[in-house]
Amino acid sequence: MNRPAAPSHPVMSTAFLKDQIVPLLNQKQRYLDAVKAHGTPLYLVVSDVLTERAQRFQSVFQAHLPKTRFYYAMKSNSLPDISRILVSRGWGLDVSSGLELATALDLGAEDIIFSGPGKTMAELELAAAHPDRVTLLLDSTGECRRLMALLGKKQQPLCAGIRINCQPEGLWQKFGIMPEQLLPLYRAIQAHPFLKCTGLQFHSSWNLNPDRQIDTICSLGRLLRDMPANFLNSCRFLDIGGGYWPEKGEWLVSEDPLRHYHLPSVPLETFAQKIYTALKKHILPLTDLCICFEPGRWICNDAMHIIVQVTDKKMPDMAITDAGTNAVGWERFETDYFPVLNLTRPGLTEQPCRILGSLCTPHDVWGYACFGEQIQEGDILMIPFQGAYTYSLRQTFIKPLPQVVVI
Ligand SMILES: *Cc1c(COP(=O)(O)O)cnc(C)c1O
């Protein structure tokens, strides 16, 4: 997950950073109340932020497209409360394993898509046992063969989509089938009494702008033009995956604790406008599909914060907190920048101070600076915007994990 910071990256402006922090500080009493009630450390889920993000995502794309479906990519934050809130708002769930599928079924989700490479027989069986709720996204010809044998044995129908690889470079080759495999795979499915092909999927990760999605839509258009009419008629959906970066962009640390890099991302409206234009040009004239979405990061990133307490101030510029980065599961803050906010002594000035966790490893870093007045023992600190790819990657390592509180 780590990306090395390059000195050529644009520097984050102080005004931009303050704009990100002020709304959080305005809400600080809510966060401190949660600490009062539950102690520290905490994963603090802010449910109204989650539902606002989900609502906005839907409405931005629905402004262009009449037929849409939205699936939350559970792996981006696997906390069941997050999926439960989204399901209650009419969202489907996008799962990537039998474990996630079982959670989605337990939550009562009625519209689940299951994608991912190397599905085991047990995972295929679980999907096949719920044909009314699960659409399986086939990842390979071999997987299709195993699924057909299973459905034949059980005399059970299932709808499946086919994942098309859209990044044929290096290790990204492991996802989906190559375009030239689509026609033979479709023919094999057509000859099967129980498996039905009802759609196509692609997913590309980590997009600060829609260029890659647009390129994929364009080449998919070329591929579909040569497919038989009965294939196009049987396809009901095109799932265009997730990978939308939040508009605040990517934030990275530099050598200087008070200087941060900022790789801007385009607003979701731009993604929607450009993706719609490409679909209208290359795909929708061929077949009238429901467009499906699988966002993860964009939905959950801002909806969870981590709250810790300073247990030891060992030097004027070094504080140790009561939680370690096992709470996020990787050495995130060695490369990614997030502000550390002192909720006890708040302020809009950032001061250099190493904010470290309590694990027995020097890689246990929350940040190299802190917003607020001089940090003291007992202070409550918040690391905001930790909703995506942290909770799901948390590790039971040395220290207990933070408690989850949903507000
Ligand atoms: C990870 C993943 C997503 C979500 O990606 P984000 O970058 O979090 O939006 C969606 N679909 C599939 C198939 C994935 O593997």
Side-chain angles (χ1 to χ4, degrees), residues 160-174:
I162 298 173
R163 179 166 181 171
I164 309 281
N165 183 284
C166 64
Q167 283 165 281
E169 314 97 33
L171 297 180
W172 289 97
Q173 278 178 5
K174 81 182 244 186

Side-chain angles (χ1 to χ4, degrees), residues 71-76 94-96 113 115-116 137 163 175 201-207 239-245 293-300 388-389:
Y71 299 83
Y72 166 63
M74 195 191 277
K75 77 166 194 280
S76 63
D94 163 30
V95 302
S96 303
I113 48 177
S115 62
L137 295 172
R163 179 166 181 171
F175 300 106
Q201 180 216 20
F202 71 82
H203 163 73
S204 76
S205 213
W206 213 308
N207 299 298
D239 181 336
I240 66 171
Y244 304 88
W245 200 272
F293 299 84
E294 304 169 343
R297 186 189 301 273
W298 199 94
I299 302 297
C300 64
Y389 301 101

Side-chain angles (χ1 to χ4, degrees), residues 258-278:
L258 299 181
R259 206 165 77 119
H260 323 298
Y261 297 122
H262 178 202
L263 311 189
S265 174
V266 305
L268 194 67
E269 285 76 5
T270 308
F271 276 99
Q273 171 67 52
K274 295 199 166 166
I275 287 174
Y276 168 65
T277 306

